[in-house]
Amino acid sequence: MHLSVSMRILGILLMLFSSTMLVPLLLALLSDDNTATGFLMALSITFFAGLAIWVPVMNARHELRIRDGFLITSLFWSVLGLFGALPFALTDSLHLSTTEAIFESISGLTTTGATVIVGLDTLPQSILIYRQLLQWMGGIGIIVVAVAVLPMLGIGGMQLYKAETPGPSKDSKLTPRITETAKALAIVYVSLTIVCAVCYWAAGMTAFDAIAHALSTVAIGGFSTHDASMGYFESNTILMICSLFMYISAINFGLHFIFWRRRNIAPYRKDSETRFFSAVLLICVAITCAYLIISEVLVASDAVVHGIFQAISITTTTGFATQDFAHWPSFLPVMLLMFSFMGGCVGSTGGGMKAMRIMLIYKQGVREMKQLIHPNAIIPLKVGRRRVEASVVSAVWSFFAVYTTSFIIIMLLLMATGLDFTTAFSAVAAAINNLGPGLGEVAANYSSISDTAKAILCFTMLLGRLEVFTLLVLFTPMFWRV
């Protein structure tokens, strides 16, 4: 492992990250909303900290290895999350503690969408657009890491994905193809954001709201510029547009890249994970709409629109809301929360365990039942036409075990801070799946829980976004041995 190279990349990332504060700073200066000083200080601190880290190691040149990949990936969200908190901490009108500022920043960068800020409708546009930009920047980082880096690191069965992505080669080096992949994915990501913003604007949003919500929709983040989230607009057209773009953004961006290059939808039809994800999502939508109609919570037309929207929003881990879904019949909120454990596809901005892993666990379960009936038969596990190696299945089960164990431990820690079971369970689910809204005390926002609980959830959001192993491996002595 070459720490000097990791530090050089971190320094560059911090300097680049400081540019996210330029747009909010410009808005603050134009509207004279008393936030310009905070953004200017935050921008300066972030840029010069990055410069100070980069200058001593600017000439370091080594090939990046797997351990460097783990470290850089973890530093990307943790360090940028800390520096991203500066505008929140330095804006006096927000009245946020240090922990709350860090919580809001990490929630944005990990595209979780959980918030501690109340009264969004009265906040300056500079703060609002900064929150949206945090999610959008986090989203593109997630895609590049998920498509180009994690498959090579082999996180929880991701090595299955190597041959199917336009990512790096299969050796132990992070090759220059990552740069090519990043550029291609960035073009798709930006294009999708622009199209989404135009659709929102055409449907009746103001230009500011259209841009702001496009940033968080494509990032599957869930931050809004209004306390009522998407319900503020009272438009079924906007809800359907949002549902469509949430679904598109939850599909592997590697496939979007192939579609963009070939102008052919065949890759979507042939992809096993996309078909599985779409089928599960359709089941979730059908159950939600049917239950809302049967229980007469909403009239049939509203039940269909809000059912489709809320099912897609929660399952894809976006976290937008139209109504307080936590007060729907108790079966639905809990069911939707369970669907969020799947989240989106690999290589998307969605959270959760990813559809590919859930699909493999399901296929393995079916295979085991067949094996019990025919003990002497050789029944291979296949994804599409490809045979899945036993090592990949083992990695997926290991991921599931560590994911579940982490969930239980963190939930018990939250309960130790005084939270009830429903709040603690849903808060961990919302954080580790990068979903955002929970149930109980955290249904609307997280401002009422203690700073200790917020700090635990900060770690949980990073754990979920970094696919668990990427972060936990840094705490093992073996990782740091030369």
Side-chain angles (χ1 to χ4, degrees):
M1 185 169 64
H2 305 289
L3 275 175
S4 58
V5 178
S6 298
M7 290 301 102
R8 184 173 69 86
I9 292 172
L10 179 62
I12 292 169
L13 283 174
L14 276 174
M15 287 188 284
L16 290 173
F17 179 67
S18 66
S19 64
T20 11
M21 301 169 198
L22 287 172
V23 173
L25 176 60
L26 182 61
L27 270 179
L29 291 170
L30 290 173
S31 58
D32 192 22
D33 57 17
N34 298 317
T35 62
T37 305
F39 277 111
L40 187 59
M41 288 175 64
L43 190 154
S44 303
I45 292 169
T46 305
F47 180 82
F48 287 109
L51 189 65
I53 293 171
W54 176 71
V55 168
V57 290
M58 58 189 292
N59 295 318
R61 293 288 186 276
H62 298 283
E63 285 184 335
L64 293 178
R65 298 286 175 173
I66 286 178
R67 283 195 287 181
D68 298 307
F70 282 117
L71 184 60
I72 292 165
T73 305
S74 299
L75 288 175
F76 178 88
W77 273 280
S78 52
V79 176
L80 266 59
L82 292 175
F83 280 90
L86 288 173
F88 298 125
L90 296 172
T91 303
D92 295 333
S93 59
L94 291 177
H95 307 295
L96 297 180
S97 67
T98 303
T99 306
E100 288 174 330
I102 293 171
F103 181 96
E104 195 74 16
S105 174
I106 289 178
S107 175
L109 272 175
T110 57
T111 72
T112 302
T115 185
V116 293
I117 299 176
V118 182
L120 295 173
D121 297 86
T122 60
L123 285 184
Q125 286 189 340
S126 56
I127 292 291
L128 293 174
I129 200 66
Y130 177 65
R131 293 170 76 244
Q132 308 302 104
L133 282 168
L134 277 178
Q135 293 206 316
W136 193 76
M137 292 292 288
I140 185 63
I142 290 158
I143 293 167
V144 172
V145 167
V147 173
V149 180
L150 290 184
M152 198 214 62
L153 300 182
I155 301 294
M158 287 285 201
Q159 58 267 48
L160 170 70
Y161 199 56
K162 284 180 184 175
E164 296 182 356
T165 57
S169 57
K170 299 181 187 179
D171 60 20
S172 63
K173 300 174 184 176
L174 297 182
T175 70
R177 287 191 64 192
I178 289 180
T179 307
E180 299 167 21
T181 303
K183 286 177 183 176
L185 294 175
I187 291 170
V188 175
Y189 189 72
V190 172
S191 302
L192 199 57
T193 306
I194 292 169
V195 174
C196 183
V198 170
C199 289
Y200 278 149
W201 177 75
M205 281 191 185
T206 63
F208 178 80
D209 276 343
I211 293 168
H213 285 87
L215 293 174
S216 57
T217 300
V218 176
I220 302 198
F223 272 166
S224 176
T225 56
H226 303 283
D227 286 321
S229 190
M230 283 295 182
Y232 170 86
F233 302 102
E234 298 181 345
S235 167
N236 288 348
T237 304
I238 287 175
L239 296 185
M240 290 300 97
I241 290 170
C242 185
S243 299
L244 174 63
F245 279 95
M246 286 190 292
Y247 171 70
I248 291 171
S249 300
I251 293 173
N252 167 20
F253 270 72
L255 291 178
H256 295 330
F257 165 67
I258 295 169
F259 168 75
W260 173 75
R261 190 174 58 184
R262 296 180 186 172
R263 303 292 192 272
N264 189 335
I265 63 169
Y268 296 113
R269 292 202 308 268
K270 293 177 181 177
D271 185 65
S272 301
E273 185 187 23
T274 302
R275 293 201 307 270
F276 177 82
F277 168 74
S278 301
V280 172
L281 190 58
L282 189 61
I283 292 168
C284 181
V285 167
I287 295 172
T288 304
C289 293
Y291 199 83
L292 286 173
I293 293 170
I294 293 168
S295 59
E296 297 182 343
V297 175
L298 299 169
V299 297
S301 57
D302 284 345
V304 171
V305 172
H306 291 278
I308 291 171
F309 176 84
Q310 211 62 67
I312 293 176
S313 176
I314 301 301
T315 303
T316 61
T317 73
T318 309
F320 280 134
T322 53
Q323 298 188 341
D324 190 353
F325 84 99
H327 289 105
W328 283 357
S330 59
F331 161 74
L332 279 182
V334 175
M335 183 201 76
L336 290 173
L337 203 62
M338 291 304 175
F339 271 96
S340 76
F341 279 88
M342 177 184 74
C345 298
V346 170
S348 74
T349 51
M353 286 191 278
K354 304 296 182 293
M356 182 264 286
R357 292 194 183 100
I358 302 296
M359 178 180 68
L360 279 177
I361 290 171
Y362 166 75
K363 284 178 176 285
Q364 173 70 358
V366 171
R367 178 184 172 277
E368 286 301 316
M369 284 191 285
K370 289 179 179 177
Q371 197 76 61
L372 287 171
I373 299 168
H374 305 286
N376 296 321
I378 298 174
I379 306 170
L381 182 63
K382 290 186 175 181
V383 171
R385 295 179 181 178
R386 294 179 58 214
R387 185 168 179 165
V388 180
E389 297 296 329
S391 59
V392 173
V393 178
S394 173
V396 170
W397 277 110
S398 298
F399 176 88
F400 181 76
V402 175
Y403 199 91
T404 307
T405 304
S406 301
F407 185 98
I408 294 169
I409 292 171
I410 294 166
M411 184 182 71
L412 292 173
L413 288 174
L414 286 183
M415 291 180 73
T417 68
L419 297 181
D420 62 87
F421 175 80
T422 301
T423 302
F425 179 89
S426 64
V428 180
I432 202 167
N433 294 328
N434 301 120
L435 166 62
L439 305 174
E441 285 183 50
V442 294
N445 59 70
Y446 290 68
S447 60
S448 62
I449 64 176
S450 68
D451 275 1
T452 304
K454 291 186 185 95
I456 292 170
L457 289 174
C458 283
F459 176 78
T460 310
M461 288 187 280
L462 289 170
L463 194 67
R465 181 44 70 201
L466 293 168
E467 305 281 333
V468 182
F469 282 118
T470 313
L471 185 60
L472 292 183
V473 75
L474 300 186
F475 295 94
T476 61
M478 188 183 300
F479 178 83
W480 300 99
R481 287 180 191 151
V482 179

